[in-house]
Amino acid sequence: MKIADYHLHSRFSLDGMQTMEEACSKAIELGVSELCFTDHLEFADNYWINYADYQRSIEKVRQKFNNQLTIKSGLEVGFDKRAQPQIETYLKDKEFDFLIGSMHRVEELDLFNGDFFKGKEIRIAIHEYFQALLERIKISDFSVLGHITLFKRFFKQLGVNVSDFVWSDYDEIIRDLLQALITQGKGIELNMRVPLIDLDFRILRLYKELGGEIITLGSDAHHVRTMQVMKEGFEALRYSGYRYYCLFEKRKPILVSLD
């Protein structure tokens, strides 16, 4: 089976700690045969990539690792209501194979520093998070929606016990979100940065039940130490009834067998 990692950061990201060459060498060592660099485009942090430099770096590693590794060009685009016009302007005249659309802030409140969660019941916060995702995906340009269950990364620091949740409480809003993605011809990502939980499986099964087919896997690695072959993710797809996952070329999905 072909193994492809479609969420990977290099030093072109503010938080990236690996060069493209280091990431490519590690991918070959792991047995990954295709990867897509998806460095951050975050206007909320006043950060965007120099497109010419980025593409030159990707072309350099393509030439160096030719016949060993397929390398695609992508971005992880942070949703930003205020900067939507700038994002559209940045993307309109540039060519990428793949774009991840990700929510890192909700109504300008940062998820990672905890601002978004302050003063809220976690159940209400998660509903607000899903509602914000639904609003943004309807107007944003991307290929797949990134790390839908991002909030689970913060459970420990918020003192949340996973067993306290009734995941079915979110089925309705998640159904609306997934249906909107399918209607627009967009997909989802199975992000392997943290362990899978019940909600991840609920989303995988519901997406398939609704007719969704566009799904990618990504390690979301920012350092070679966290790159992986994502065995658990491929097993989760099979367990959820999938026979294929997706690669991309020039923004077009390509189905690849999980056999």
Side-chain angles (χ1 to χ4, degrees):
M1 184 192 73
K2 183 172 186 175
I3 299 173
D5 186 344
Y6 264 61
H7 194 149
L8 193 66
H9 296 275
S10 74
R11 287 183 181 167
F12 275 92
S13 293
L14 284 172
D15 53 359
M17 294 175 283
Q18 59 188 342
T19 66
M20 287 186 174
E21 185 173 333
E22 288 169 341
C24 290
S25 295
K26 184 64 175 181
I28 293 169
E29 177 187 325
L30 290 171
V32 174
S33 54
E34 180 165 326
L35 56 78
C36 183
F37 286 103
T38 54
D39 283 297
H40 286 294
L41 180 70
E42 293 287 350
F43 278 89
D45 295 322
N46 197 34
Y47 183 78
W48 55 93
I49 290 171
N50 182 296
Y51 177 74
D53 289 347
Y54 193 55
Q55 295 298 341
R56 275 194 295 268
S57 294
I58 288 175
E59 188 57 36
K60 183 177 178 180
V61 289
R62 279 175 177 161
Q63 292 178 10
K64 177 167 184 175
F65 297 99
N66 187 33
N67 298 323
Q68 295 178 281
L69 187 66
T70 301
I71 302 166
K72 299 292 180 61
S73 169
L75 289 177
E76 181 178 11
V77 182
F79 294 144
D80 188 331
K81 185 183 297 186
R82 292 188 303 181
Q84 185 67 25
Q86 294 99 307
I87 293 172
E88 292 174 0
T89 298
Y90 180 90
L91 293 175
K92 72 178 181 180
D93 60 349
K94 297 174 179 63
E95 293 185 2
F96 294 98
D97 290 301
F98 178 68
L99 297 177
I100 300 172
S102 293
M103 181 74 77
H104 298 134
R105 298 169 183 261
V106 180
E107 298 299 333
E108 313 308 325
L109 296 175
D110 198 306
L111 290 164
F112 289 88
N113 67 11
D115 284 352
F116 170 69
F117 299 99
K118 289 178 180 176
K120 298 176 183 175
E121 291 182 26
I122 190 68
R123 179 180 58 84
I124 293 173
I126 293 175
H127 269 290
E128 290 181 358
Y129 168 81
F130 280 130
Q131 186 61 48
L133 275 181
L134 180 58
E135 292 172 359
R136 301 316 300 164
I137 66 175
K138 291 179 178 179
I139 63 171
S140 302
D141 182 19
F142 60 94
S143 309
V144 304
L145 181 61
H147 46 53
I148 298 176
T149 56
L150 174 69
F151 53 82
K152 68 185 181 182
R153 297 185 190 175
F154 313 113
F155 279 176
K156 185 175 181 180
Q157 69 192 65
L158 293 170
V160 172
N161 189 332
V162 174
S163 63
D164 293 339
F165 277 86
V166 179
W167 296 115
S168 59
D169 287 348
Y170 309 99
D171 282 353
E172 183 177 353
I173 183 66
I174 291 173
R175 178 181 290 272
D176 291 344
L177 189 157
L178 296 178
Q179 188 61 68
L181 289 169
I182 292 168
T183 299
Q184 296 176 59
K186 297 172 181 176
I188 64 173
E189 170 200 52
L190 181 54
N191 187 291
M192 298 306 301
R193 186 169 176 178
V194 295
L196 294 171
I197 58 176
D198 291 346
L199 186 57
D200 297 279
F201 286 95
R202 296 184 75 87
I203 289 172
L204 290 177
R205 291 168 184 154
L206 182 55
Y207 182 65
K208 188 174 189 302
E209 175 188 316
L210 292 171
E213 294 184 315
I214 302 172
I215 185 165
T216 61
L217 274 79
S219 66
D220 200 354
H222 291 64
H223 192 286
V224 291
R225 288 195 300 268
T226 55
M227 290 182 65
Q228 54 176 299
V229 294
M230 302 174 292
K231 181 179 178 181
E232 183 186 13
F234 286 112
E235 290 176 350
L237 289 184
R238 295 189 193 98
Y239 181 75
S240 301
Y242 289 86
R243 296 175 57 199
Y244 303 92
Y245 76 110
C246 280
L247 312 180
F248 275 78
E249 185 168 354
K250 296 181 179 179
R251 302 292 305 279
K252 302 296 184 183
I254 303 167
L255 293 178
V256 177
S257 174
L258 286 166
D259 295 333

